[in-house]
Amino acid sequence: TEWNVSLWGKRRAFTEHVEKLAELVSEKTNGEFTLNISYGGLSKNKENLDGISIGAFEMAQFCAGYHRDKNPTITVLELPFLGVNTLEEEVAVSHAVYAHPAVQEDLARWNAKLLMTSPMPQYNIVGTGEPRDELAEFKDMRVRATGGIGQAFSAVGAVPTSVTATEAYNAMESGVVDTVAFAQHAHLSFGTINKADWWTANLNPGTVNCPVVVNTDAYEALSDAEREALDSSVDEAIAHYLENYGALLTKWDSVLEEKGVEKVMISDEQLAEFRKVAADPIREQWIKDMSAQGLPAQELYDLVQKTLNDVRSGS
Amino acid sequence: MEPIEIGLWVTGGLLAMVVLGMRVAFAAGLAGLAGLIWIFWAKFGYDPARFAKALTIAVKTAGQVPHSKVSSQALSLIPTFILIGYLAYYAGLTRALFTAAKRWIAWLPGGLAVSTVFATAGFAAVSGASVATSAVFARIAIPEMLEIGYNKRFAAGVVAAGGTLASLIPPSAILVIYAIIVEQDVGKLLLAGFIPGAFSAVIYGLLIVGIAVVFKSVGPPVKGFTWGQRFASLPGALPIILVVVIIICFVYNPFGGDAWGTPTEGGAIGAFIVFLYALKEGMKWTELKSALLETAKLTVMIFTIIWGVLIYVRFLGFADLPGAFSDWTTSLEMSPMVILICILLAYAVLGMFMDAIGMLLLTLPVVYPAVMALNGGESVAAADSAFGMNGTMCAIWFGILVVKMAEFCLITPPIGLNCFVVAGVRPDLSVQDVFRGVMPFFVADAVTIALLVAFPGIVLYLPSLAG
Amino acid sequence: MAGSAAVLEDGSLVSRLDRRLLKAEKLLALISGLAVFSLMILAVVSVGGRNAINAPLPGYVDWIEQIMPLIAFMGIAYVQREGGHIRMDIFIGALRGRALWLFELVSVLLILLLILALVWGSWSHFLRSFDFAAPLWSRDSSIDIGLPIWPAKLLAPVAFAVLALRLLLQVWGYGRALVLGLETPPAVPLVQSAAEQAAAEAEQLAGHDTNGSGQG
Ligand code: NA
Ligand code: NA
């Protein structure tokens, strides 16, 4: 069996688990089952779910925030200030949510089955000039942030500004935005770190959630041995991803040092205030909207919090 | 049959349809659709019972492409820049520029043609679309050249070649597309295009002067303009200077402060300024309406090619033709410079058959990483690199080279868009006439590209200033 | 010639239908043009808002992405009617009479085949983003401010359906020319002789150039 896998961009920390998965699956089946990974050749990233639904390819990665209406249930994982601090926690909450029947039903509309997540660290902001470490200083700040994170900044008086990722550096340089919210690897690859004077180390406003899915029919058509090879490789692929991203995060500190970027720590009181203003109303609105669509919104949110507690208590 | 073989067959079919006179956009779309059907059916082992399924997947995959590919912010620069071109034309700016160029430099041998080249270079600074530039100057400059006895093919060639300058001199939609594909800073690339664009114009000018000196019949000099007339011609062209300054300031502030915005905004604000100037010059609704209709026609024509070619490119993605090319290139044992030159030559050949944007979209995902790897990787330092420049600078340098190649393919047969447009505007010229007239400029372009390869400083001076 | 060509008119049914369809096509093309104009206004509002009152247009990129399909698709049938989609005419330009009409007919039939497939494919692309049961009927939304995307996706099958009508008329026009052996059939773009084209072009440009000549 040969599967086509639709990713985008180029091979990077964000795609290492899929690369590893391909390696493992081929190894375990003696090359009987191969994953043929394509970076952007098979589909545009915002249409990977469409491609899965059509049956054009068998596996794909996408981010929930690209198209909230396509995958309303997963957007629970993109709510601001969920409280996720590490990549391991991000994996745990994502996989718990993916296992929920309502989420599986949501994705079944696309003939898609959730396989694993692509854990992303929190979208902390870089900025120029004096560090903004108090809520009051976020007022009128033009920030490049989309979706739930954008809404959170908006709640404290900042002005979310639409700029594509590729224009982020330019927008920062030209003062179109004062700050940019990205994960570390994106601050590196889009060059925003080169423009920065400071980076918020502990704001942790939220992140995006990017699952890897497979076409349900193709998954069911696999032989038992092939399916077993695929399923059993997920944990190892994720472990490889975490190790690789961990190395990048270690490097991050030295990058900050090298470029003279200040690590800004925001006080607990300020963070609590931010959460109160931004997190609660946005979450409540989300629960209200999703419940109106007949989705078990409260249940999904509670599942995230319960999983987070379980992970931390080590059970 | 292997997907790569299917890829080669379908590509052959596409060329046949194009040569037989099918409209290019639809030939590419049809080839892509047929290829997709073939590749999905092959995957099902050519089982007749599953043909309908393969057909459905192929049609739905192709059906995504038009909306998916055109709804892009980067591509919004194309209609904006075409609109600037037409508005500038209706505001009389193009003619003012041509008049100024004529009064200042038409005394040279082949003077009117040289003036045309420099006027197109000036117009390039408010227009991002090579095709629009050629269309506009075909209307203004060709009649004057014919009036004083120019060979009509040569006159058409000058306009078709001059039009290509718009892609290098910012604003340039194609540079923006390159920047987006390779994820490099748009502003720096636009800056980098400036000197090579002006440089190309000078080489074109020298070539024309040379031709006019050798063949006296080609183009007589136009003498007799007084200094008073020369200076009187400048104010009419001033609004263009204003627009140039504004567009540049939206990309990079030469006065040292922050730039004023993003390239997308800069283009649109530039259009707005020309629009206001056209209003001041007395543009009425009927004229605005024709400007909008003309913009729509040209834009729709270009976008139809874009999505048509991209259906074909989507099929190539499934056939993995780019992947095969990549493996083959990296297995070669040659010096990086020789490989780079081979790549540029391959672009020249490919450019004969493909439209510029389609060619870049198709090849860059494969070629760009190969070139970066040849230089020593994305984060290589200048001292350790093969081409003597760091990764970022290599990306910019290669971008300018590729765009120059893409410009070159706008004037090479059989599908040279600029030549088609000139022939379209000038009913007395066939496409073949324009292709014959533009041939001398192939030499000029070859010289320009050789110099840009030998002296990367021409490209990299301005972007290195911007830090 | 690759660019513009002439379409003759007479009292025949196919010509009358051609002119009726042309009205709709021209209107759609003008909508394309106005959409380009709106891009410009959008930027002025966004830049102005940002600099004057620190209020950039929310979802600037989302709005641009919604407008682009309007620009790209609405004029497609008009351009086909005028013979404006570029092609290589080295071969086909050398043909005359029935041989020419045969090649034109086959070419238009192939395009029709592609466009019918794309009406189906782009319609299904639209359907995947559309859901009567969902808020705003939306099953696909933009990244920043969550605009429903189905209206923009619907533009493709609509514009392609109009193009399919145009292609049907051209199949009829070329087919009629082939059967009747016409020299100058109506309702289809003709490869003109140089003199005819020059006359048409001069007439068209006469109005345009008055504005510019004041500067010259
Ligand atoms: Na330009
Ligand atoms: Na060409």
Side-chain angles (χ1 to χ4, degrees), chain B residues 423-448:
Chain B
V425 172
R426 295 292 309 183
D428 51 331
L429 287 160
S430 73
V431 178
Q432 287 71 36
D433 287 333
V434 187
F435 277 133
R436 256 173 237 147
V438 87
M439 258 174 215
F441 294 93
F442 296 174
V443 180
D445 277 345
V447 170
T448 306

Side-chain angles (χ1 to χ4, degrees), chain B residues 2-55:
Chain B
E2 286 297 308
I4 289 164
E5 285 174 72
I6 298 178
L8 292 174
W9 275 106
V10 169
T11 304
L14 168 58
L15 283 180
M17 281 191 284
V18 168
V19 169
L20 290 179
M22 190 156 163
R23 309 216 175 250
V24 175
F26 301 123
L30 192 63
L33 177 64
L36 284 168
I37 296 171
W38 191 347
I39 224 147
F40 288 122
W41 200 31
K43 200 170 177 180
F44 294 152
Y46 301 108
D47 175 1
R50 298 181 75 187
F51 178 76
K53 175 82 179 153
L55 178 71

